Amino acid sequence: MGRLFDFMLPEAKSPTADSTDALFHFINEVSLVLLLGITIAIIYFAVKYRRRSKDDKTPVITHNNALEVTWSVIPLMLTLVIFWWGYTGWLNLRAVPDDAYEVKVTGFKWAWNFEYENGAVSPNELHVPAGRPIKLVMISRDVLHSFYVPEYRVKHDVIPNRYTYVWFEAEEPGESQVYCTEYCGTSHSMMLAKVIVHEPEEFNTWLATANIPGSGTPVEQGKALVETNACQSCHSLDGSDLIGPSFKGIWGREELMSDGTTITVDENYIRESILNPGAKIVDGYQNQMASYQGLLDDDQIDAIIEYLKTLE
Ligand code: CUA
C-alpha cells in the first residue's frame, strides 16, 4: 500500500531512506484510515440518532467500560509502535559507519562551503564518491542554518560554535539539491548547493585537481576567495543589482555615498569595505554585510583586490 503514496516523497537515493519513508507512509496511512473511519462514524451517528420529534429525549448514559478501554488501548499501541520505529530509525541515522568518508561543511550567510581531507574546497558543491558512507561535520560561521537534502532524507541544524553531523550514502552517480531549511535572513531561499556524486575513481581525480586555498596567482586566489565566501551572492559579477553593488567594473568606479560624498573605488576603499562594511555605504543600498575582520588576513584581502581589478 505504501508504494501507492510515493508521489508524496522525492526519489530516495540513500539506503537509510527506506526506513524513514516506511515510517512516513505508516503514519500517513494510519491517519488516513482513522480520518475515514471517524468521518463515516460521525455521519452515520448524526443520521441515526437525529432528533425525530419535539419530545425526543436523549437517555442519560454515564459510562461504557468496553468503549473507554478500546479507545485508550488502540491509540496507545499505535503511539508505542510509532515511537519505537522512530527511535530505532533515529539511532540508526546517528550511528555513522566506521568507513565513512568525512567532509567538513561550513554554512554562512548565504552559501555552503565544503572542505576535503587534502585541504581542497568547493563552494556550493559537495562532491562525494558513490557507494561509500559520507559523514558531514558541520558548523555555522554566523547564524542558525539547516542542511537539508530531501533525496537522502537528511536534515540537520548547522549551528555557530558547535559541530553537528549527518551521514548518508549516495548509491548512484548523479546530482541532488541541497537546501538551507532554517530561515537565516534576506537570501535564505538562495542558500542552495548541489551534491555531485562521482564514481570512486572519478572522485579521486576530481579531488586531485580541486582548488586548494592559497595556491595559484593572487588573481586566482582572489577569485577562489570570492567564491568560497559567496561574495557573489550579494555582489553580482555581471552588473545586475543584488543586495550590494555589483563587482563588474568596480575598480576605479566613482561611487556616490549615502552621505552625499563621492569616492573612487581603490585599494583602501575595498579593504575598508571588507573589514568595516558599514563605514561607507553606496547610495541606494542598505548596510547588510558582516565584517570579515578575523576571517580574511592581509594577503587574502590583497588577493581579492587583485581579482576585483580584473572584473571589467
Ligand atoms: Cu541559511 Cu537559511
Side-chain angles (χ1 to χ4, degrees):
M1 185 174 174
R3 302 301 96 183
L4 268 179
F5 291 91
D6 264 3
F7 72 93
M8 299 181 86
L9 290 170
E11 200 183 334
K13 292 186 176 173
S14 179
T16 55
D18 288 344
S19 69
T20 308
D21 290 3
L23 177 55
F24 174 85
H25 288 308
F26 177 74
I27 293 173
N28 255 345
E29 285 154 18
V30 165
S31 305
L32 187 66
V33 168
L34 289 175
L35 173 73
L36 284 175
I38 292 169
T39 309
I40 290 168
I42 287 173
I43 295 169
Y44 172 74
F45 289 134
V47 172
K48 181 167 184 201
Y49 297 110
R50 70 186 183 279
R51 198 181 191 199
R52 288 163 204 270
S53 66
K54 277 211 155 167
D55 28 52
D56 216 1
K57 279 251 164 92
T58 307
V60 180
I61 302 165
T62 57
H63 210 74
N64 187 318
N65 271 332
L67 260 185
E68 303 222 3
V69 169
T70 308
W71 71 46
S72 300
V73 169
I74 292 177
L76 176 68
M77 299 310 262
L78 279 174
T79 313
L80 286 177
V81 166
I82 291 169
F83 172 77
W84 170 81
W85 198 334
Y87 183 62
T88 52
W90 178 79
L91 286 181
N92 187 35
L93 290 178
R94 299 314 291 156
V96 185
D98 287 340
D99 60 338
Y101 183 79
E102 196 171 303
V103 180
K104 281 176 67 182
V105 180
T106 308
F108 54 97
K109 294 194 284 186
W110 288 281
W112 301 97
N113 201 20
F114 303 97
E115 190 182 335
Y116 305 82
E117 50 179 336
N118 65 348
V121 296
S122 59
N124 292 327
E125 282 183 3
L126 169 58
H127 292 259
V128 296
R132 182 162 175 196
I134 308 294
K135 180 185 186 185
L136 302 179
V137 178
M138 312 186 292
I139 197 159
S140 165
R141 200 194 275 171
D142 38 47
V143 298
L144 259 184
H145 303 279
S146 185
F147 183 88
Y148 181 34
V149 188
E151 290 177 337
Y152 296 128
R153 310 294 190 268
V154 151
K155 175 155 97 170
H156 205 292
D157 279 4
V158 177
I159 304 167
N161 295 314
R162 179 170 165 181
Y163 294 99
T164 55
Y165 68 91
V166 289
W167 78 272
F168 65 88
E169 186 176 320
E171 288 167 321
E172 301 288 336
E175 285 190 18
S176 292
Q177 185 67 50
V178 180
Y179 299 91
C180 176
T181 176
E182 185 72 58
Y183 181 65
C184 56
T186 316
S187 292
H188 155 72
S189 58
M190 302 301 289
M191 192 169 162
L192 305 169
K194 280 244 148 61
V195 185
I196 298 171
V197 184
H198 301 272
E199 294 289 3
E201 315 86 72
E202 196 189 298
F203 173 74
N204 289 330
T205 313
W206 174 85
L207 191 61
T209 55
N211 168 52
I212 296 180
S215 61
T217 65
V219 172
E220 285 164 356
Q221 289 184 38
K223 181 173 191 290
L225 284 164
V226 163
E227 286 170 359
T228 51
N229 287 287
C231 310
Q232 75 280 4
S233 65
C234 296
H235 303 280
S236 79
L237 303 178
D238 62 2
S240 57
D241 218 16
L242 302 176
I243 290 166
S246 177
F247 279 162
K248 185 180 165 67
I250 191 171
W251 185 253
R253 189 159 71 199
E254 297 261 305
E255 296 272 38
L256 177 66
M257 298 290 128
S258 54
D259 63 2
T261 58
T262 302
I263 59 104
T264 302
V265 176
D266 60 5
E267 289 91 343
N268 285 317
Y269 172 72
I270 293 173
R271 185 185 164 84
E272 183 183 48
S273 298
I274 292 171
L275 297 178
N276 186 9
K280 296 191 178 76
I281 300 297
V282 176
D283 193 40
Y285 294 94
Q286 306 273 316
N287 179 19
Q288 295 255 16
M289 183 170 154
S291 169
Y292 279 76
Q293 188 93 49
L295 294 171
L296 294 170
D297 63 28
D298 288 351
D299 290 342
Q300 292 173 316
I301 292 173
D302 290 347
I304 290 172
I305 291 171
E306 290 311 310
Y307 171 58
L308 293 184
K309 284 180 182 175
T310 68
L311 296 177
E312 289 166 338

